[in-house]
Amino acid sequence: MSEIATRCVQGGYTPKNGEPRQIPIIQSTTFKYDTSEDMGLLFDLKASGYFYTRLQNPTNDFVAAKICELEGGTAALLTSSGQAANFFAIFNLCSAGDHVVSSAAIYGGTYNLFAVTMKRMGIEFTFVSPDATDEELDAAFKPNTKAVFGETISNPSLDILDIERFAAAAHRHGVPLIIDNTFPTPINCRPFEWGCDIVTHSTTKYMDGHATSVGGAIIDSGKFNWDEHADIFPGLTTPDESYHGITYTKQFGQGAAYITKCVAQLMRDFGAIPSPHNSFLLNVGLESLHLRMQRHCQNAQAVAEYLDANPKVAWVNFSGLPNNKYYALAQKYMPNGTCGVVSFGLVGGRAAAERFMKELKVAIIATHVADAHSCCLHPANATHRQLSDAELEACGVKPDMIRFSVGIEDIKDILGDIENALKVV
Ligand code: PLP
């Protein structure tokens, strides 16, 4: 299927004669076999088939295959959340004593996972500015560096990652670039086309798109040659004693080694699988992703332009505005639009932000972004409320920042809502 809109609707699952048109929900923990020998071959990864849903499930696999097609990868895996996806994507390459270079402009939950929880596991992160020069990037690497991580569009600071430059830096040091592509989705940006090696998603956001199911995904481009860097990645290139002495690159090849290892080791041991029912809902969302993204981007552009022209608004951050710092990068990597999230501050600062948000009727206040419904959040008073103003600035969250996730309602209603709320500030 060559066109992405067709892949959104039909990818990942092709019913045979007489089979259901929609992906079936295989809500079963386990699968029946006639003999123990049949089962043994599955456990040894010598035959493919299902035996226990913690490891694999047909509904989950159909939906993973669709997301794999959308990103243009060779193998993919669904997880129970975006947090699990980012943890697995990195932990599949690292052990205690290893090091990762990460953009500092990332979702706060991911930052905490890296800087606090994974640090406790003995994995060290060096955070670099997404605007770091090549020299600054090179200086962040260490002999034990295993990966580079960033977000295509960072949440909530909305910085755009220069994917080609980050990929080149990672490859100069023999490691893959992992990108969280949650905000643009593969409709607006496919990082593999720019040199990225592994993509992750919080499918909770635009992919599900209707605020129904928390989920995540990891997709491998199949382009990173693990064997060429066998000394850096022994977990993929030498026998896994915890899995019958399998060498993943030898048995599954460059295209499937990374995801197979992730399933065989991390799903087996941590068990962060989505329920088949959630994967079914995710797929229903994916079927209209191409249409929804278009509308999110159109509406967000209109909101950003409206705010930018309003004297009560102190600043607007949206890379679709020509005056934005990241306009050129956005045009390069996402010429058809970036995402539906706009952030801004009011002339009246923090207090005005609260008054403004209270007045909104169409856009609800919610700790969420990127679904069909417009919503907004004042991070300094919600997700980041434990931080001082100085700490907020350091992580790219201005104290007066309103994060506005523009939905797919009629733009007249969204702009009318904003216009009305601005009257009280
Ligand atoms: N990555 C990004 C860019 C996010 O915005 C989020 C959540 O907001 C996550 C990852 C974590 O995903 P989840 O909430 O599905 O665990």
Side-chain angles (χ1 to χ4, degrees):
M1 270 175 239
S2 57
E3 298 302 328
I4 200 151
T6 312
R7 281 180 258 157
C8 279
V9 182
Q10 299 204 7
Y13 169 72
T14 308
K16 298 194 193 78
N17 198 31
E19 287 186 348
R21 180 66 200 94
Q22 186 50 279
I23 291 179
I25 306 173
I26 309 292
Q27 194 73 40
S28 181
T29 56
T30 193
F31 300 81
K32 174 252 175 193
Y33 286 93
D34 290 338
T35 69
S36 301
E37 287 75 33
D38 290 341
M39 186 80 92
L41 288 173
L42 296 176
F43 269 93
D44 286 348
L45 302 183
K46 289 192 174 130
S48 66
Y50 297 95
F51 53 99
Y52 191 56
T53 283
R54 168 150 48 80
L55 287 160
Q56 279 191 296
N57 171 281
T59 310
N60 295 348
D61 285 357
F62 289 137
V63 183
K66 174 178 282 190
I67 294 174
C68 190
E69 286 180 31
L70 292 177
E71 287 288 2
T74 54
L77 161 72
L78 296 189
T79 57
S80 55
S81 67
Q83 285 298 102
N86 283 330
F87 172 55
F88 280 16
I90 293 196
F91 199 60
N92 203 31
L93 300 174
C94 294
S95 302
D98 288 336
H99 172 259
V100 175
V101 175
S102 173
S103 165
I106 53 175
Y107 166 61
T110 310
Y111 186 89
N112 194 72
L113 168 70
F114 292 172
V116 179
T117 303
M118 291 186 78
K119 188 173 177 207
R120 277 174 42 215
M121 302 169 105
I123 298 166
E124 191 202 349
F125 288 75
T126 297
F127 293 97
V128 294
S129 161
D131 307 328
T133 62
D134 289 348
E135 292 68 32
E136 285 166 340
L137 279 176
D138 282 335
F141 286 82
K142 299 185 177 189
N144 55 344
T145 302
K146 302 288 169 146
V148 177
F149 182 90
E151 290 178 4
T152 323
I153 306 173
S154 59
N155 177 15
S157 57
L158 305 178
D159 297 351
I160 310 277
L161 195 78
D162 193 341
I163 303 173
E164 280 191 313
R165 251 175 14 83
F166 270 67
H171 298 160
R172 276 199 295 283
H173 296 269
V175 302
L177 172 64
I178 303 173
I179 287 193
D180 181 331
N181 197 33
T182 296
F183 269 29
T185 81
I187 301 303
N188 286 338
C189 182
R190 285 176 298 285
F192 295 157
E193 294 172 2
W194 302 98
C196 163
D197 303 287
I198 292 155
V199 158
T200 61
H201 281 279
S202 165
T203 62
T204 319
K205 308 294 176 328
Y206 291 117
M207 283 193 168
D208 171 272
H210 300 82
T212 71
S213 314
V214 173
I218 309 172
I219 308 98
D220 184 8
S221 67
K223 288 186 190 153
F224 194 85
N225 191 333
W226 309 106
D227 283 322
E228 225 169 61
H229 305 284
D231 52 324
I232 306 181
F233 302 106
L236 282 149
T237 58
T238 59
D240 174 6
E241 294 314 329
S242 83
Y243 224 112
H244 320 299
I246 274 176
T247 299
Y248 292 99
T249 49
K250 235 188 235 156
Q251 188 143 342
F252 301 101
Q254 193 173 309
Y258 172 86
I259 291 292
T260 308
K261 175 178 182 289
C262 201
V263 173
Q265 294 180 342
L266 303 185
M267 273 306 180
R268 177 195 62 190
D269 295 350
F270 293 102
I273 49 143
S275 86
H277 189 259
N278 276 10
S279 299
F280 171 85
L281 291 171
L282 168 59
N283 179 61
V284 174
L286 289 170
E287 290 188 356
S288 61
L289 182 66
H290 52 301
L291 297 176
R292 289 185 288 104
M293 287 312 290
Q294 229 173 30
R295 180 58 76 89
H296 278 293
C297 292
Q298 275 167 11
N299 282 357
Q301 184 73 33
V303 166
E305 286 171 10
Y306 176 86
L307 292 169
D308 201 39
N310 194 300
K312 290 185 176 174
V313 178
W315 58 269
V316 183
N317 182 13
F318 183 69
S319 57
L321 293 177
N323 61 12
N324 189 270
K325 176 180 170 188
Y326 291 106
Y327 181 74
L329 278 182
Q331 290 296 308
K332 172 178 172 176
Y333 291 116
M334 293 164 270
N336 298 325
T338 52
C339 67
V341 185
V342 177
S343 66
F344 61 99
L346 298 174
V347 171
R350 223 169 154 143
E354 283 305 318
R355 282 204 305 281
F356 167 80
M357 285 173 51
K358 242 188 243 166
E359 279 311 301
L360 293 168
K361 303 280 183 298
V362 176
I364 56 145
I365 298 175
T367 312
H368 197 228
V369 281
D371 71 67
H373 321 80
S374 287
C375 63
C376 63
L377 185 78
H378 180 204
N381 225 359
T383 46
H384 294 65
R385 66 183 290 129
Q386 73 280 16
L387 304 188
S388 66
D389 282 6
E391 286 170 324
L392 287 170
E393 291 284 356
C395 64
V397 177
K398 294 194 168 83
D400 63 343
M401 175 200 278
I402 296 169
R403 183 183 69 183
F404 199 103
S405 177
V406 185
I408 58 174
E409 302 91 346
D410 194 301
I411 189 61
K412 291 193 286 296
D413 288 328
I414 299 171
L415 291 179
D417 197 32
I418 294 172
E419 187 181 1
N420 188 51
L422 280 174
K423 286 182 189 148
V424 301
V425 302

